[in-house]
Amino acid sequence: MKILFDIGHPAHVHLFKHFIRYLLSEGNTVIVASRDKDITNELLKKYAIPFVSISKKKNGFFGLFIEFIERLVRVFVLERRYKFDLAFGTSSSIGFLTLFCGVKSYNFCEDDDIAVPFHALISYPLNTKIINSKGVKYRFWKNKRVIHNSYQKLAYLHPNRFHPDESAIRKYSLTPYSYVIVRLSALNAHHDIGAKGIDAELLSKVISEFGDYRIIYSREIEGSHQINIEDMHDVLYYSKMLISDSQSMSVEASCLGVPSIRYSTFVGKLSVLGQLENKYGLTFGFQLGQEERMLEKIRQLLSQKDLTADYSKKRELLLQDKCDFTEWMINFFQSEKDLT
């Protein structure tokens, strides 16, 4: 089969990388249309996944609209060349292949529809199926929903896929649980308009709580990362804690059993993170105006003697409930392939 993957974010490289390898091993033709955003293309190179970069990230509503048109045109150029049977992705482009070319499209999203209204409005009516995690909230297009009992991050952070390597952290003169990761998101995606996260004043207060712990920074807006891309998940696994205004890395930390503190206007608006916080107790969200509560939670976690062991147990409970998402995608593909 000829299969398109439309990948626009570094997290989606991780999401699909094992699935893509499986498809290639089965003799399928796979074309990856990428977006030059942050480290997306670097990751594809790292994992030896052939790709065609069809757009470069633009900012602002008008810039994002121009980029959307560019991607759409170039996706149709790829379709004219390859004649795809299926299209997988997280973008809006693949739905238009369904509308105009009859290509079956499968849109993967872990956000509630209300959190990504523009994406939902222009994508979901066109997609063949919408792939959501259990608990994601939606009101429309119910007949298109395919619900799985996993998280997208478990496509690459499930123990079947991820095996932590302590030697990776030694490259940075780190020892397990002696450091904290601070992840600052750019908050400039289409669904981030008006969003706010950790500012310089709050960051200074947060850092002062950690005393002798080493601070590892990852700043998306500056493209500044102290850790090589291939080591990031190992470094996250062995960290004491994650402080972040990034929803994506907060979910990753939870899947690895690392306590995380997140602060942004998105807190309380995403069901997946709500589930990780309220059911599994793996992450804690704070909204603007709750800075003192956030600092108190950091102090509480740091004072807990068995913090790492406790969160490892919480992770085990999560893994008892949730499946390997790559395995789920493979099984889903087989069932859809039989219908094609």
Side-chain angles (χ1 to χ4, degrees):
M1 301 187 79
K2 296 178 181 179
I3 303 167
L4 172 70
F5 281 83
D6 192 359
I7 292 179
H9 189 282
H12 304 147
V13 178
H14 293 301
L15 167 61
F16 291 122
K17 63 185 178 184
H18 296 296
F19 185 34
I20 289 172
R21 288 169 180 163
Y22 163 79
L23 293 171
L24 290 170
S25 72
E26 292 292 304
N28 299 285
T29 298
V30 174
I31 303 299
V32 174
S34 78
R35 182 188 188 208
D36 188 1
K37 170 184 165 56
D38 200 16
I39 57 171
T40 302
N41 290 345
E42 288 86 344
L43 282 172
L44 288 165
K45 292 175 184 176
K46 160 67 182 172
Y47 297 121
I49 298 173
F51 67 95
V52 180
S53 185
I54 63 172
S55 73
K56 185 176 179 64
K57 183 180 83 71
K58 294 179 173 61
N59 296 322
F61 184 83
F62 182 73
L64 290 170
F65 177 74
I66 295 299
E67 185 188 357
F68 167 71
I69 298 300
E70 290 175 352
R71 287 192 71 81
L72 195 58
V73 169
R74 290 164 185 167
V75 162
F76 276 111
V77 170
L78 290 173
E79 159 61 16
R80 186 174 181 180
R81 178 179 177 183
Y82 291 101
K83 304 296 182 185
F84 298 113
D85 298 296
L86 305 173
F88 295 98
T90 61
S91 75
S92 303
S93 306
I94 58 175
F96 288 89
L97 290 181
T98 303
L99 178 64
F100 292 110
C101 306
V103 178
K104 288 187 174 182
S105 63
Y106 302 86
N107 198 311
F108 289 70
C109 189
E110 211 159 60
D111 295 329
D112 299 334
D113 287 8
I114 197 170
V116 286
F118 181 71
H119 173 72
L121 184 62
I122 66 173
S123 302
Y124 294 169
L126 307 180
N127 293 132
T128 305
K129 290 185 179 176
I130 307 158
I131 316 300
N132 293 139
S133 300
K134 184 179 180 181
V136 166
K137 294 179 181 177
Y138 56 86
R139 291 180 58 193
F140 305 108
W141 311 292
K142 294 180 180 180
N143 62 320
K144 296 187 176 192
R145 307 284 175 165
V146 179
I147 308 301
H148 60 84
N149 190 25
S150 189
Y151 299 124
Q152 290 185 2
K153 312 306 182 194
L154 288 176
Y156 55 96
L157 294 179
H158 191 279
N160 291 346
R161 310 291 165 182
F162 175 73
H163 307 284
D165 179 6
E166 190 174 333
S167 68
I169 72 173
R170 298 194 195 109
K171 300 178 189 178
Y172 311 97
S173 301
L174 296 171
T175 56
Y177 320 118
S178 66
Y179 58 92
V180 172
I181 296 176
V182 173
R183 167 65 171 175
L184 302 176
S185 176
L187 295 175
N188 59 11
H190 66 87
H191 53 267
D192 291 333
I193 294 173
K196 295 182 179 179
I198 299 172
D199 61 19
E201 181 181 357
L202 178 57
L203 180 60
S204 178
K205 292 179 180 179
V206 167
I207 298 308
S208 68
E209 297 291 338
F210 287 105
D212 294 334
Y213 285 94
R214 184 171 164 186
I215 307 299
I216 303 297
Y217 291 98
S218 175
R219 304 174 189 263
E220 184 182 18
I221 197 166
E222 300 171 7
S224 172
H225 309 283
Q226 290 179 252
I227 306 300
N228 293 336
I229 56 176
E230 65 267 23
D231 298 325
M232 192 64 232
H233 294 126
D234 294 300
V235 173
L236 179 59
Y237 179 86
Y238 287 108
S239 66
K240 186 73 172 181
M241 193 183 306
L242 170 71
I243 306 295
S244 181
D245 52 20
S246 164
Q247 318 312 309
S248 182
M249 189 170 279
S250 296
V251 178
E252 288 183 330
S254 295
C255 290
L256 293 174
V258 176
S260 66
I261 301 286
R262 63 191 197 282
Y263 175 91
S264 81
T265 48
F266 277 110
V267 168
K269 297 180 180 179
L270 300 175
S271 295
V272 164
L273 278 161
Q275 187 179 93
L276 288 168
E277 179 169 0
N278 299 318
K279 182 175 181 179
Y280 298 106
L282 283 158
T283 184
F284 304 93
F286 298 90
Q287 299 174 341
L288 275 65
Q290 296 181 324
E291 293 81 5
E292 286 305 317
R293 288 179 57 188
M294 173 183 171
L295 295 172
E296 179 56 36
K297 174 55 72 172
I298 291 172
R299 296 182 198 115
Q300 178 188 333
L301 291 172
L302 289 175
S303 68
Q304 185 176 334
K305 300 295 185 183
D306 62 344
L307 183 68
T308 299
D310 183 37
Y311 277 75
S312 292
K313 292 176 183 176
K314 292 175 186 285
R315 181 196 185 212
E316 288 304 315
L317 292 175
L318 180 149
L319 292 173
Q320 288 174 20
D321 289 347
K322 305 297 181 181
C323 67
D324 173 346
F325 189 49
T326 291
E327 184 177 348
W328 185 93
M329 285 191 285
I330 291 170
N331 292 334
F332 175 74
F333 167 74
Q334 291 293 350
S335 65
E336 290 297 298
K337 180 181 177 182
D338 292 342
L339 296 174
T340 301

